Amino acid sequence: MRKISGLFGALIFALTTVSCGGSTAPGGGGGGGGGGGGGGGGTCPAGTFCMTATSFTPTTRTAAVGATVTWQNSSGVGHNVVWDDATAKAAAAAGDGTGDMPNFDTGMSHTRVFNTAGTYGFHCTIHAGMTGILTVQ
């Protein structure tokens, strides 16, 4: 019985290690990158808010004026991104759209460009307590 438990544990470890993915190319470029599936799988890329089943990761991020910020949903759960106020909504300029991001099925990502410095709060109306803050400076 101990041998079976040990083999099972080794199998789980091997599957977990392989499923995390990631690029081995210098500088992290090229090569696909793995990541995300099932609401986790490593750190969120720079300039990106990743979504878990009930939270944004990280919950706060800082970006430079003129930066493109990405929201990425690999959680297996549908979400949306709604700005807390009109100032934030107006600051979320054209990336792949402007303002709120109402349809965020798993596997989707959206971008917004921020040309105005400020602190902008956002939330998911589908999941109470799922909030984030973007500071542009």
Side-chain angles (χ1 to χ4, degrees):
M1 188 61 152
R2 285 185 182 175
K3 285 184 179 182
I4 292 173
S5 296
L7 289 173
F8 184 72
L11 177 63
I12 296 299
F13 176 77
L15 289 174
T16 303
T17 302
V18 170
S19 70
C20 287
S23 174
T24 58
T43 58
C44 195
T48 302
F49 284 98
C50 293
M51 299 174 189
T52 69
T54 58
S55 66
F56 293 102
T57 303
T59 55
T60 62
R61 188 170 286 289
T62 300
V65 170
T68 298
V69 179
T70 302
W71 282 259
Q72 177 180 317
N73 183 4
S74 299
S75 70
V77 178
H79 294 290
N80 60 26
V81 175
V82 176
W83 297 101
D84 291 351
D85 57 45
T87 301
K89 187 173 182 175
D96 64 356
T98 60
D100 294 338
M101 296 167 253
N103 180 18
F104 232 117
D105 291 331
T106 191
M108 294 180 75
S109 63
H110 289 294
T111 60
R112 298 293 183 265
V113 175
F114 293 85
N115 295 316
T116 305
T119 300
Y120 307 115
F122 56 91
H123 60 279
C124 174
T125 61
I126 301 167
H127 302 99
M130 187 171 172
T131 62
I133 297 173
L134 172 65
T135 301
V136 178
Q137 51 189 20

